[in-house]
Amino acid sequence: MRENVRWMTEVALLAAFLSVAGAFKLPGLLPGTEFQLSAPLAVAICAVFGFAKYITAGLLSSMAGLMLGTQSVWNVGIALIFRCVVGAVFVLGGNRWLTVVLAGPIATITSRLVVGGILGNMAIPFMLAAVPGIIYTAITVWPLTILLKRITERGKKAIVYVVQR
């Protein structure tokens, strides 16, 4: 019972964290090249918490975004493709440094190609607009992963300390 409550609480907090991070966009040099911190955060969550919590938190975050009107169906579609590709990259590459750094850019490229293919001849503009975000994701994902690992390790130590007392 305690593990179920812990799992649900972590997933809810991660979903809220993703939703808030997705709301903040760093401006790019050109219009349409803004960067959301939610991309490297999502990859870091997958690396630290595993795919099950990552995909569940991501789906909850997308559902909340749809209900609040902050995301469109296209945003959710791109995010879902991104999440599935990140999971596949982790399955194929393991939970290593290089996998963590490359998962976000590979997922971004794949999701943009799929959406560009659906819309027809839009893949190149989508890819060009995503280049700054791909670079930002590759640079910021490892520090975020280290930060999340430290937070979870401290949380586990605090729980053990509290339970033992």
Side-chain angles (χ1 to χ4, degrees), residues 83-118:
R83 291 182 187 112
C84 291
V85 172
V86 166
V89 170
F90 273 98
V91 166
L92 295 173
N95 200 354
R96 297 190 302 251
W97 176 83
L98 188 60
T99 305
V100 172
V101 171
L102 292 179
I106 290 170
T108 299
I109 291 167
T110 305
S111 62
R112 297 291 178 122
L113 286 175
V114 169
V115 172
I118 291 170

Side-chain angles (χ1 to χ4, degrees), residues 58-100:
L59 290 172
L60 288 172
S61 174
S62 291
M63 287 173 30
L66 273 175
M67 288 189 285
L68 293 172
T70 60
Q71 291 185 3
S72 68
V73 174
W74 284 108
N75 297 117
V76 173
I78 291 171
L80 187 58
I81 295 166
F82 180 91
R83 291 182 187 112
C84 291
V85 172
V86 166
V89 170
F90 273 98
V91 166
L92 295 173
N95 200 354
R96 297 190 302 251
W97 176 83
L98 188 60
T99 305
V100 172

Side-chain angles (χ1 to χ4, degrees), residues 26-35 112 125-126 128-133:
L26 300 175
L29 297 175
L30 300 171
T33 61
E34 65 272 347
F35 167 68
R112 297 291 178 122
F126 276 149
L128 292 175
V131 169

Side-chain angles (χ1 to χ4, degrees), residues 14-31:
L14 292 172
F17 197 22
L18 277 173
S19 296
V20 170
F24 293 105
K25 295 179 182 176
L26 300 175
L29 297 175
L30 300 171

